[in-house]
Amino acid sequence: MTTEGIEAVFLETHNWGRAAKFFQALGYELEFETDHSSGQFRNGDGPYVFVAEVPEDREPQTRIVFKTPDADAFRPDPAVEVVTPFEETHYGTREMTVRDPDGRLWSLQAPAGN
């Protein structure tokens, strides 16, 4: 089984409020905000953008998340280095981390319980 396109973009920021205003100015609507300086934005039917604030001493990261419908049915090709296998998340999905040939990390996301 392969992935089904991009599910989301996860972004880290040093200033949640400024980042939220930036995405809203680009036409994204805030779908929900957490009580710990993060939230999810959407613009149309495309991937959602999840933004989370991190401490100033941490370099903000960006990660693209690919969608897969069933974590249990997903069998990565040997050319794909699995860094962490599918694990349950605290936000109701299962995620796997893989590394591309240039060392970049990518996430695969599946519904929980599959």
Side-chain angles (χ1 to χ4, degrees), residues 32-95:
F32 67 84
E33 181 175 355
T34 70
D35 60 357
H36 49 84
S37 299
S38 64
Q40 182 170 302
F41 298 87
R42 192 173 300 271
N43 186 341
D45 294 332
Y48 66 85
V49 177
F50 190 88
V51 181
E53 188 173 290
V54 295
E56 287 292 329
D57 64 345
R58 183 168 151 186
E59 183 70 26
Q61 301 291 313
T62 301
R63 186 167 295 180
I64 295 175
V65 180
F66 295 106
K67 179 180 183 178
T68 187
D70 185 346
D72 293 330
F74 185 79
R75 302 289 180 259
D77 184 282
V80 176
E81 178 189 349
V82 175
V83 177
T84 56
F86 277 106
E87 298 174 335
E88 298 288 330
T89 68
H90 67 280
Y91 43 88
T93 65
R94 294 175 73 187
E95 286 188 2

Side-chain angles (χ1 to χ4, degrees), residues 6-9 11 16 19-32 39-51:
I6 296 173
E7 174 79 2
V9 177
L11 300 173
W16 159 249
K21 288 178 184 174
F22 172 80
F23 283 99
Q24 289 170 322
L26 292 176
Y28 283 78
E29 292 186 23
L30 181 63
E31 286 190 319
F32 67 84
Q40 182 170 302
F41 298 87
R42 192 173 300 271
N43 186 341
D45 294 332
Y48 66 85
V49 177
F50 190 88
V51 181

Side-chain angles (χ1 to χ4, degrees), residues 1-2 74-83 96-104 106 108:
M1 175 173 287
T2 61
F74 185 79
R75 302 289 180 259
D77 184 282
V80 176
E81 178 189 349
V82 175
V83 177
M96 169 188 273
T97 303
V98 297
R99 186 182 335 268
D100 74 17
D102 294 309
R104 289 180 292 261
W106 301 82
L108 282 68

